[in-house]
C-alpha cells in the first residue's frame, strides 16, 4: 500500500490476496439484527417490559434494567446527527474504498444508527435521510442517503 499526503491511498495488493472484510457473524444478542439486515430490514431491539427502544443491541434495558427483549422494525428515516470522512482505514480491507463518509443518524424511532453515506453531496446537520441495506459479496452495509435523493 502506498500513501502520499496529496493523493488518495491506493492498494497495490493483488486482488486475489487482498484482505477480506471482517465477517458479520454477530453474537447471540445481535443475530436477529444481522438476519433482518440480510433480508433488507432494519430492526431495533425493544425492551419487552417497558417498550424502550435501544440500538445497538444490549443485554439490559437502560430504563428498567430488564433482560427481556424483542425486535421492532424501523423505518430507516431520520435526520443527520453528525458525520465524519474516513481517510484512514480501520481495517486493511477498507483501504481501497478511502475516503468514505460515515454518518450518525437520529432515527425517527428515537435511537441513533451509524451507517455509510451514499456517494454524492456531503451530508448536513439535521438533513432528512432514509436508510437501507445494500448487499455486498461478503455481507450487508447500512447506507443512508438524502431523503429527497
Amino acid at each position: 500500500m502506498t500513501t502520499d499526503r496529496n493523493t488518495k491511498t491506493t492498494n497495490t495488493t493483488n486482488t486475489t490476496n487482498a484482505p477480506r472484510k471482517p465477517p458479520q457473524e454477530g453474537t447471540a444478542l445481535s443475530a436477529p439484527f444481522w438476519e433482518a439486515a440480510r433480508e433488507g430490514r432494519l430492526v431495533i431491539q425493544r425492551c419487552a417490559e417497558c417498550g424502550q427502544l435501544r440500538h445497538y443491541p444490549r443485554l439490559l434495558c437502560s430504563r428498567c434494567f430488564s433482560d427481556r427483549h424483542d425486535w421492532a422494525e424501523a423505518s430507516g428515516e431520520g435526520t443527520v446527527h453528525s458525520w465524519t470522512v474516513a481517510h484512514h482505514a480501520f481495517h486493511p480491507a477498507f483501504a481501497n474504498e478511502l475516503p468514505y463518509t460515515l454518518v450518525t443518524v437520529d432515527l425517527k424511532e428515537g435511537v441513533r444508527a451509524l451507517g455509510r453515506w451514499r456517494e454524492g453531496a456531503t451530508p448536513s446537520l439535521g438533513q432528512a435521510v432514509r436508510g437501507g441495506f445494500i448487499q455486498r459479496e461478503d455481507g450487508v452495509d447500512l447506507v443512508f442517503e438524502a431523503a429527497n435523493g
Side-chain angles (χ1 to χ4, degrees):
M1 179 166 22
T2 60
T3 50
D4 181 282
R5 288 178 170 245
N6 300 318
T7 60
K8 187 174 177 177
T9 301
T10 57
N11 189 344
T12 57
T13 306
N14 181 331
T15 56
T16 58
N17 296 328
R20 298 188 63 119
K21 291 183 179 176
Q24 296 175 333
E25 296 171 347
T27 64
L29 187 61
S30 66
F33 173 84
W34 291 111
E35 182 179 316
R38 286 188 291 276
E39 296 171 359
R41 299 181 301 115
L42 176 60
V43 295
I44 299 171
Q45 196 181 49
R46 177 177 50 207
C47 177
E49 293 292 328
C50 72
Q52 175 77 22
L53 294 174
R54 57 188 187 246
H55 187 70
Y56 296 95
R58 295 186 279 281
L59 284 173
L60 299 176
C61 175
S62 58
R63 181 189 286 164
C64 73
F65 306 109
S66 172
D67 64 351
R68 295 184 50 237
H69 66 273
D70 57 15
W71 296 86
E73 189 135 355
S75 66
E77 298 173 1
T79 57
V80 173
H81 176 79
S82 68
W83 78 92
T84 187
V85 178
H87 293 278
H88 176 76
F90 72 94
H91 185 280
F94 292 85
N96 65 345
E97 298 176 19
L98 293 171
Y100 56 83
T101 302
L102 297 171
V103 63
T104 302
V105 172
D106 291 323
L107 294 175
K108 76 177 193 176
E109 289 80 9
V111 297
R112 288 192 177 134
L114 176 68
R116 302 239 348 214
W117 183 252
R118 278 216 190 252
E119 299 286 326
T122 302
S124 59
L125 294 179
Q127 179 179 9
V129 297
R130 67 173 177 257
F133 289 96
I134 58 169
Q135 299 289 323
R136 62 176 203 237
E137 181 180 311
D138 55 353
V140 294
D141 286 330
L142 178 57
V143 176
F144 289 96
E145 64 184 359
N148 60 0

